[in-house]
Amino acid sequence: MEIDHPERLDANILLGIVNERLRHDCGDLAALEDDLGLSRQQIESRLKTIGFQYQASQNQFKSFTK
């Protein structure tokens, strides 16, 4: 799936794409930044709005509201 403007996506859809890319294509958040063309701050702040934060030890965004 190619996305031209990830910053315009619904945060829940972005979460799915981000975690899938982290799992299959990107070894860390820095690689994901390059892949999506978004800064770490943009990704993290967007996903924080739906209750998710990056867990480096697991290389994925996980819910922090549970």
Side-chain angles (χ1 to χ4, degrees), residues 4-63:
D4 295 328
H5 298 284
E7 72 280 0
R8 296 182 190 168
L9 291 174
D10 176 271
N12 290 294
I13 293 171
L14 181 61
L15 172 66
I17 292 168
V18 161
N19 275 340
E20 190 245 342
R21 295 265 174 100
L22 286 168
R23 185 171 43 253
H24 297 291
D25 303 320
C26 302
D28 59 21
L29 199 49
L32 181 68
E33 287 180 85
D34 292 338
D35 186 54
L36 294 180
L38 296 174
S39 72
R40 176 184 184 123
Q41 182 181 4
Q42 288 174 299
I43 297 166
E44 288 183 318
S45 67
R46 186 73 184 284
L47 296 181
K48 186 177 183 179
T49 66
I50 58 168
F52 285 78
Q53 65 186 11
Y54 183 66
Q55 300 294 313
S57 63
Q58 297 175 344
N59 194 34
Q60 66 178 331
F61 280 84
K62 296 193 80 159
S63 174

